[in-house]
Amino acid sequence: MRRRLTPRLSPGRRRVTAGVGCLLSALVLAVLPLPRGADQAQAATTESSAVTKSGAKGVYGDDFSDLKVTVHQTENLSGQAVRVTWTGGQPAADTSGTNSLSIMQCWGDEESGPDRTQCEYGLSSGSQPGGQRFVFLTGNGAVSDPLETGSATPVDKNGTHYVPFRPVAGQGDATTSGTDTTYFTSEDTNAVPYVPNDGDGGGDVAFEVKSAVEQPAMGCGARKTSSGKIQPCWLVVVPRGTHDPDGTAHQPSNQLASSLSQSTWDQRIVFRLGFAPVTDNCDPDKPERGIMGSELATDVITSWQSALCRTGTYRFSFTQSGEGQARDAVTSGDSVAGLAMTVDPVEPVDGAAQVVHAPVAVSGLTIGFVWMYDTQDNRSLPLTELKLNQRLLAKVLTQSYPFSVVNPSAGTPDYLAGNPESIVRDPEFLQLNPGLQGQAAVNSPLGLALTLDNTDSARLVWKYILANTDAREFIEGKVDPWGMKVNPAYKDGVISDSLDFFPKADLTPSVTDCAVGVPQITYNGQDVVPYTNDMHDAALKVRRGSIGTAYKCGSTVSGYKLVAEDRPIPTKQRQYGIVDNASAVRYQLGAAALPNADGDYITPTNDSLLKAVAEMPDSDVAGVKAPDPGKMRAGAYPLTAVVYAASSLDQAKDARQDYAKVMRYAAGAGQTQGTAKGELPYGYAPLPAALRTQAEQAADRLEKGAPDADESSSGTSGGGGDLSGTGSGGAAGGAAGGTGGDSAGTSGTATGADATDTAQPSTAPTETDPAKQNVAQSGGYTPSEVLGLIRWVLLGVLVAGGVAALSGPVMLRLSVRGAAPTRFHGDGGKAR
């Protein structure tokens, strides 16, 4: 599947931009707790946009003076999640809605702020307390509000007063009832009507905010003042105590007044939200340069687009696709894209033009989760740590838990008899996660949210699983020590380490009953755990706690059909999925710890991602790292990947120059981590110093273009001209060529003359391995890295001098750029 991303606002697209949350500075980190999963490939920044505000004494019997609420990111926002924490409330005693918070997003002007008609609220799933838009006048029911007047709110056809939702200008008319779904529904609303205070009177929740791309009706990031400034949006927190609006103590048997009811609304705490612009201000008349490929690059490329456009004659568009499609486009000269974002390299082809590979991003895959579990005292708490091993992943991905293929009420199919119904009943899982002992079988995700695409990412997962003996033997049919067996649909070679997608091989039909006299409706495992559009979509669905599970019959206007399960309330959300790390960080998902080759359970952080890069061997194209998840050691995260920008030398000069500019930006300013446009989104680790240098060398090579015909006769034996100096003649043999690649990751046919441009000694010390020169944070080096880089330069100069005596002058560029311009998300803040 291809997804086209151009630097234009496109509200219909399902992708939201990167940039999940600035971390706090060292001082702020000392006084505020980090969010769950906040260490996932994030680094400390020099400032924070966290804001803390206090409540006030209530007018109807509740005092919120001690309540302090913190929104941990309020600037440079896009479609993402932000962390909201609070302290100083009263512990919730029941589930009626008292002693809790409501959280919503609103639009409004800088001067006046939001009013209650400008907030996305209501229509929440599960009839959550206070979650409706209906309000009641005095004398009209137990939840009447003395501050509500008949003239303040309209009346629906049933005679009930409600607070309408009023969209921004140009997006339509106000809603006509309290259940009007014109602008949002129970499945896509971001409102959180009810989050109970914990036992200490506090809480911690990740709240989804929407830019104008995800919610045009609020226009966040798109609305401007007369002076051209972006209008703010707002996050509104409404504290709830133990009293109804009329001052009487709330009775659990009564309905809770809406958080939009005037007396309740008056207790609101309001936070200004600064959204990044959702348009790139790039001249739409500029011609486009196409880039396509890996979803692992989507967030970073769309962050860089405006910075690249600002100084060039072309605008860059990005088409998200499987890496294989992108590699084919580069080698075939497809006009759609002259630059491919790929994990696996473009393999050299005899007689074809050379392709250079520039490392541009370090990221990886995450098993992201949102998982509420039940405690013995009937509370629901968020799971903060999760361990999964290769065999457990194999069990989930082969649909070997019965509840991943049938409705839990239907019982276990005969062919899976004896298997634990779900992962929380698996003894192997409980050994790793003993805190989940005693959970009901339904208190578990049914299966991993997965994309259907053919990708290098999927192949990386299978390589990781099959490198483990226990997992591989389970897939081959060996029962685990507790008697669990693989789903028979996966026997006979369905799975291999070259597989580049996640097959749902069990299509056994099950039936669900509808009304009397209505034929039964069938469903299968693809309905129970459906595929997602892509990994970003998977992350968003995991954050919302709803992946579209459908195994029940529902009545619709057109008749009976299979319908999706209702989105669960926040305290009952349990989902996980395989997602790109940038999306996991963006939506503040928990990250499962996975075992590396040492048996250590590792989560994705800047440190663990860079340690994995240092462990990676070269692929068949020298200079291009090959993910080898089964051999990651010494703190390395096994599902790490390096994304390369691959481009053919056989292109027009202006195209090569433009694509070289992308490589240079990636090697320099694009490695400054942050949430502003043009920066490196959190979820990516800054490139090690030598990989930056390698990207610069690839850009040099791309600008130079394909060698002339008379140069090409000077002597390679095919393949890709071994520019590492390991061809015939040893260290000095770089001039003579050979097969393989170069330090810039060149595949295809090279020449001896070109080989000397980036010659490096084959005996270079291990400290000069590009992956081992890790930067502590973007733009800086550790002392050991400086020594390593100097040592590399000195050795390069010595060898270059020797080669120059034989072949002529040598140029060895080792430059690193550091300045960061404003970050850009090309499709208007939505990176997907």
Side-chain angles (χ1 to χ4, degrees):
M1 179 189 74
R2 289 186 178 184
R3 175 159 296 181
R4 182 71 181 276
L5 298 172
T6 63
R8 295 190 179 101
L9 173 61
S10 179
R13 291 182 305 212
R14 300 299 302 170
R15 289 285 297 159
V16 240
T17 182
V20 173
C22 283
L23 290 185
L24 308 179
S25 65
L27 176 60
V28 176
L29 285 171
V31 296
L32 289 176
L34 287 172
R36 294 180 294 275
D39 61 341
Q40 290 169 242
Q42 298 194 24
T45 55
T46 57
E47 61 182 359
S48 167
S49 60
V51 174
T52 299
K53 292 189 175 185
S54 299
K57 185 175 176 61
V59 297
Y60 52 94
D62 292 302
D63 187 356
F64 303 110
S65 301
D66 293 331
L67 179 67
K68 295 185 184 299
V69 181
T70 299
V71 178
H72 289 256
Q73 183 188 349
T74 60
E75 295 295 337
N76 289 329
L77 295 167
S78 60
Q80 61 176 87
V82 297
R83 187 188 181 207
V84 180
T85 61
W86 62 100
T87 60
Q90 296 298 314
D94 54 44
T95 59
S96 68
T98 58
N99 292 329
S100 65
L101 297 186
S102 294
I103 309 174
M104 64 194 81
Q105 183 182 340
C106 314
W107 65 277
D109 295 333
E110 178 98 50
E111 299 79 14
S112 59
D115 66 50
R116 55 184 180 162
T117 69
Q118 297 171 318
C119 300
E120 181 168 313
Y121 193 81
L123 304 176
S124 298
S125 60
S127 301
Q128 298 175 57
Q132 69 278 4
R133 297 190 75 94
F134 297 112
V135 296
F136 298 92
L137 279 58
T138 300
N140 187 13
V143 292
S144 60
D145 187 341
L147 297 186
E148 286 292 348
T149 62
S151 60
T153 51
V155 179
D156 66 12
K157 62 182 180 181
N158 297 318
T160 305
H161 286 263
Y162 70 97
V163 178
F165 173 75
R166 181 164 53 89
V168 298
Q171 293 298 321
D173 299 324
T175 53
T176 57
S177 75
T179 57
D180 190 330
T181 59
T182 301
Y183 301 106
F184 49 89
T185 71
S186 62
E187 290 304 306
D188 61 22
T189 181
N190 63 354
V192 180
Y194 168 62
V195 183
N197 297 342
D198 62 23
D200 297 320
D204 188 338
V205 68
F207 178 80
E208 178 195 346
V209 295
K210 298 178 179 180
S211 74
V213 177
E214 297 79 36
Q215 177 51 287
M218 286 194 288
C220 300
R223 297 173 60 244
K224 295 183 178 180
T225 65
S226 57
S227 63
K229 290 176 55 180
I230 296 295
Q231 288 270 20
C233 279
W234 309 87
L235 186 146
V236 174
V237 174
V238 178
R240 310 302 302 265
T242 59
H243 293 79
D244 287 330
D246 60 4
T248 61
H250 178 72
Q251 301 300 312
S253 59
N254 292 338
Q255 182 182 12
L256 191 74
S258 170
S259 291
L260 299 181
S261 191
Q262 191 65 59
S263 293
T264 310
W265 173 256
D266 286 348
Q267 301 304 310
R268 67 193 180 278
I269 305 171
V270 180
F271 296 83
R272 184 188 184 281
L273 299 179
F275 277 78
V278 295
T279 55
D280 61 8
N281 296 320
C282 189
D283 183 354
D285 293 330
K286 282 186 177 181
E288 291 186 359
R289 290 283 187 217
I291 305 173
M292 68 182 298
S294 178
E295 184 173 3
L296 293 178
T298 301
D299 275 10
V300 72
I301 294 299
T302 51
S303 173
W304 295 341
Q305 277 175 309
S306 68
L308 291 167
C309 172
R310 197 163 49 240
T311 58
T313 56
Y314 278 79
R315 61 207 315 264
F316 292 93
S317 63
F318 181 71
T319 302
Q320 183 179 293
S321 71
E323 292 88 347
Q325 289 178 278
R327 290 190 289 268
D328 289 344
V330 166
T331 56
S332 66
D334 190 335
S335 60
V336 171
L339 190 68
M341 295 294 155
T342 183
V343 175
D344 294 341
V346 177
E347 295 291 342
V349 177
D350 287 343
Q354 292 180 33
V355 173
V356 296
H357 296 78
V360 295
V362 174
S363 189
L365 304 177
T366 300
I367 312 300
F369 65 89
V370 171
W371 194 326
M372 303 296 293
Y373 68 97
D374 295 339
T375 65
Q376 293 183 347
D377 57 356
N378 296 319
R379 292 184 299 153
S380 292
L381 297 177
L383 189 66
T384 57
E385 295 182 357
L386 177 67
K387 291 181 178 180
L388 297 171
N389 62 26
Q390 296 92 326
R391 184 161 56 193
L392 287 170
L393 289 174
K395 292 174 180 180
V396 177
L397 292 174
T398 57
Q399 302 174 280
S400 295
Y401 296 110
F403 285 0
S404 68
V405 293
V406 297
N407 184 337
S409 65
T412 300
D414 291 342
Y415 61 92
L416 294 177
N419 281 5
E421 302 98 323
S422 70
I423 197 169
V424 295
R425 291 297 182 87
D426 188 336
E428 183 172 19
F429 175 78
L430 294 174
Q431 279 189 350
L432 293 176
N433 303 278
L436 292 174
Q437 291 278 356
Q439 294 291 300
V442 293
N443 288 358
S444 166
L446 299 180
L448 286 164
L450 304 166
T451 178
L452 181 60
D453 289 349
N454 299 80
T455 64
D456 293 352
S457 297
R459 182 159 45 241
L460 175 62
V461 173
W462 289 119
K463 288 176 66 175
Y464 173 61
I465 291 172
L466 293 174
N468 177 264
T469 300
D470 291 338
R472 184 177 65 255
E473 290 180 344
F474 176 82
I475 292 173
E476 292 171 348
K478 182 179 178 179
V479 299
D480 78 357
W482 301 272
M484 183 173 177
K485 58 183 178 296
V486 70
N487 187 322
Y490 288 84
K491 291 183 177 179
D492 303 323
V494 173
I495 305 300
S496 71
D497 59 8
S498 63
L499 192 65
D500 66 352
F501 71 104
F502 300 108
K504 293 185 183 292
D506 186 353
L507 299 178
T508 306
S510 298
V511 296
T512 186
D513 291 325
C514 295
V516 176
V518 176
Q520 293 177 319
I521 294 179
T522 62
Y523 67 91
N524 60 42
Q526 287 195 32
D527 299 306
V528 178
V529 185
Y531 285 111
T532 63
N533 293 329
D534 55 24
M535 290 189 288
H536 171 267
D537 182 46
L540 179 57
K541 287 179 175 176
V542 169
R543 166 45 58 202
R544 292 177 175 175
S546 177
I547 61 172
T549 294
Y551 44 53
K552 293 181 180 178
C553 180
S555 177
T556 67
V557 175
S558 58
Y560 291 93
K561 67 177 184 179
L562 209 61
V563 295
E565 291 290 281
D566 290 337
R567 181 174 166 182
I569 63 175
T571 54
K572 299 298 179 185
Q573 293 177 349
R574 303 178 185 96
Q575 299 292 350
Y576 58 1
I578 298 179
V579 303
D580 60 295
N581 196 52
S583 291
V585 171
R586 182 178 185 171
Y587 286 107
Q588 300 212 0
L589 306 184
L594 304 177
N596 62 12
D598 292 329
D600 297 326
Y601 281 79
I602 308 295
T603 56
T605 64
N606 278 355
D607 183 60
S608 65
L609 292 172
L610 292 174
K611 285 180 177 177
V613 175
E615 293 285 316
M616 289 181 187
D618 273 354
S619 67
D620 291 339
V621 175
V624 178
K625 294 290 184 181
D628 196 352
K631 296 181 179 178
M632 296 294 99
R633 298 185 179 277
Y637 179 67
L639 295 185
T640 301
V642 179
V643 180
Y644 289 85
S647 191
S648 172
L649 299 186
D650 188 17
Q651 298 184 78
K653 181 178 180 180
D654 60 343
R656 287 186 282 104
Q657 289 174 333
D658 284 337
Y659 290 131
K661 187 170 78 170
V662 176
M663 297 176 180
R664 294 191 192 285
Y665 190 84
Q671 292 303 313
T672 299
Q673 236 176 350
T675 59
K677 289 188 173 185
E679 293 178 338
L680 183 72
Y682 292 117
Y684 296 93
L687 281 179
L691 288 191
R692 298 190 193 191
T693 300
Q694 186 179 342
E696 288 275 7
Q697 292 172 342
D700 290 347
R701 198 61 193 284
L702 183 58
E703 284 181 333
K704 187 176 301 183
D708 295 331
D710 57 342
E711 290 179 334
S712 64
S713 64
S714 60
T716 65
S717 57
D722 188 349
L723 306 186
S724 60
T726 57
S728 175
T739 60
D742 62 12
S743 61
T746 308
S747 63
T749 304
T751 72
D754 280 342
T756 64
D757 287 343
T758 52
Q760 296 182 33
S762 60
T763 56
T766 57
E767 292 87 335
T768 64
D769 184 332
K772 295 185 185 296
Q773 297 185 22
N774 298 340
V775 289
Q777 57 183 6
S778 60
Y781 302 98
T782 64
S784 62
E785 290 167 26
V786 174
L787 290 174
L789 185 57
I790 292 173
R791 180 159 36 191
W792 186 17
V793 172
L794 291 175
L795 285 169
V797 169
L798 289 174
V799 173
V803 174
L806 297 176
S807 305
V810 174
M811 179 183 295
L812 181 60
R813 279 186 79 162
L814 295 171
S815 60
V816 178
R817 301 183 180 183
T822 304
R823 179 191 183 197
F824 171 74
H825 298 289
D827 64 353
K830 184 174 184 181
R832 306 283 170 156

